[in-house]
Amino acid sequence: MAETTVAGVMAELAELEDPKARAVNERHGDDHGVNLGRLRALAKRLKTQQDLALQLWETGDSAARLLAILICRPRAFARDELDVMLREARTPKVHDWLVNYVVKKNPHADELRVAWFADPDPVVASAGWALTTERVAKKPEGLDLAGLLDVIEAEMKDAPDRLQWAMNHCLAQIGIEDAALRARAIGIGERLEVLKDYPTPPGCTSPFAPVWIAEMVRRQHDEQA
């Protein structure tokens, strides 16, 4: 693109708008109609541009914010900047991409994990749980995994959807990673029955924690055999 002004980028995003994509996205709580493959192709052409990313984020437009996430420098954000951005990111896709593509790569990730984990806003708290799940998988040292299971057992059943999903992922990850806590994690999942009846496409693993844990442990064993 010869022009990388916000106006130029927004015009291109408008051209990529697809009513069918918007209809599908809106069923999942997202308010944009841009095919994500085309969005990624646009980001690849723009390359990393932190200033442009900040300007695109400030538009408040979901497609522009997703593009901003793809062209920003994750490590360039201050802790407080990311805290504000997360609270502004109300749609699921913007929230998920911000956490996974930006916050997880930022030096303040663990500090934010602790702060968000206890936040009274369930959407913000879900980000804290997502970052905790990342720690369980990659760097569990220092985490009280049994304590996390206590919280999950007490609170997951009645948690709002996005927080419940994040807590369930953490439950499954603990069961997958920690053999000593695996039986307890499976037992919690079986008692609470969260996502037990979630429609799962053929060839995909159910998000129901006991099934998820069993499948991932089986794969680990197959890889080691």
Side-chain angles (χ1 to χ4, degrees):
M1 283 177 63
E3 184 180 25
T4 54
T5 63
V6 172
V9 174
M10 294 301 291
E12 181 146 0
L13 287 173
E15 289 176 9
L16 293 176
E17 175 75 20
D18 178 351
K20 290 182 180 178
R22 178 173 286 276
V24 171
N25 291 332
E26 286 181 347
R27 288 202 293 272
H28 297 97
D30 292 305
D31 58 354
H32 70 90
V34 178
N35 174 281
L36 295 181
R38 292 183 175 184
L39 190 78
R40 290 180 186 279
L42 175 56
K44 191 172 182 179
R45 296 209 317 273
L46 288 171
K47 299 185 171 62
T48 302
Q49 296 191 52
Q50 180 71 2
D51 289 344
L52 179 60
L54 294 174
Q55 294 173 61
L56 288 170
W57 183 272
E58 287 302 315
T59 67
D61 178 82
S62 289
R65 285 185 163 180
L66 291 171
L67 182 60
I69 289 166
L70 294 176
I71 67 170
C72 75
R73 290 190 179 87
R75 299 182 65 83
F77 292 100
R79 176 201 182 282
D80 290 348
E81 280 183 292
L82 290 176
D83 184 68
V84 170
M85 290 169 72
L86 185 85
R87 294 173 193 281
E88 292 175 342
R90 305 311 296 176
T91 61
K93 186 65 69 177
V94 173
H95 174 98
D96 290 346
W97 278 25
L98 181 66
V99 172
N100 287 300
Y101 297 165
V102 181
V103 179
K104 286 181 179 180
K105 299 176 182 178
N106 184 274
H108 303 289
D110 206 58
E111 186 182 348
L112 288 166
R113 177 187 71 82
V114 174
W116 291 340
F117 187 86
D119 199 277
D121 182 331
V123 176
V124 175
S126 73
W129 278 93
L131 293 170
T132 299
T133 301
E134 177 89 348
R135 275 282 306 270
V136 171
K138 296 186 176 179
K139 191 184 175 185
E141 298 80 9
L143 291 179
D144 178 6
L145 299 184
L148 288 172
L149 290 180
D150 290 341
V151 176
I152 291 167
E153 191 166 23
E155 299 178 11
M156 182 172 75
K157 182 77 170 178
D158 298 318
D161 287 352
R162 285 165 68 182
L163 178 56
Q164 184 185 71
W165 189 275
M167 294 174 82
N168 183 70
H169 190 178
C170 191
L171 172 65
Q173 203 68 52
I174 292 171
I176 293 163
E177 302 293 341
D178 195 307
L181 292 172
R182 186 169 297 146
R184 186 183 171 202
I186 291 171
I188 291 170
E190 289 174 342
R191 284 193 300 279
L192 298 185
E193 297 188 337
V194 168
L195 299 175
K196 183 177 182 179
D197 299 320
Y198 190 84
T200 305
C204 295
T205 302
S206 168
F208 179 47
V211 174
W212 191 351
I213 292 167
E215 174 61 18
M216 298 310 293
V217 171
R218 182 192 66 77
R219 290 183 194 180
Q220 289 174 355
H221 287 164
D222 287 351
E223 289 171 3
Q224 293 165 3

